[in-house]
Amino acid sequence: ALLAGDAAALERDYRIEASGSRQDWTLVLRPRQAALAASVSDITLRGRGAELRCIETRPVDGALQRTLLAGAAREAIQAGDAADHEALCREPGAAAR
C-alpha cells in the first residue's frame, strides 16, 4: 500500500502520524491489527524531499531495527565504522559525528 501510494489501504492497516515539512518529514505507522501490534510497536519512515532515507521498525520486545536507504546508505558506506546511523536517518552529511 505504501509503495503503491494507496492511502486508504494504508489507513486500514495502520494509524498514521505525519510530521515535519516537505524537506524533513516523518511518517509513523502504528499497526491496527492486534496480531501485528503484539510484535511491532511502530514503523517510522524518515525522509527529506522525495527521498526516503530510513525505515525504523520498533518491535514490542527487543532493539530498534534501522534500515538506511538512498543517500543515507551511501553516506554510511563512505563513513565506514564511524557512521552514526541514527543521525543519518535525520540529517544528510551526518555520517561521522
Side-chain angles (χ1 to χ4, degrees):
L2 181 66
L3 295 176
D6 188 343
L10 200 58
E11 289 177 359
R12 181 184 62 237
D13 295 330
Y14 296 93
R15 287 185 297 283
I16 302 170
E17 300 170 24
S19 62
S21 66
R22 177 158 172 70
Q23 290 308 309
D24 185 14
W25 52 267
T26 302
L27 187 67
V28 179
L29 309 174
R30 298 188 194 285
R32 292 184 184 274
Q33 296 178 348
L36 182 56
S39 60
V40 175
S41 177
D42 62 70
I43 301 167
T44 301
L45 308 172
R46 298 184 188 279
R48 297 181 75 60
E51 179 185 48
L52 173 59
R53 294 183 61 81
C54 180
I55 301 172
E56 297 173 324
T57 304
R58 186 176 322 279
V60 171
D61 294 318
L64 177 82
Q65 299 169 358
R66 184 175 289 118
T67 303
L68 300 178
L69 304 163
R74 286 188 297 275
E75 290 172 30
I77 290 168
Q78 290 172 352
D81 291 339
D84 180 345
H85 293 168
E86 182 177 2
L88 282 170
C89 280
R90 295 166 174 79
E91 306 168 41
R97 289 199 174 165

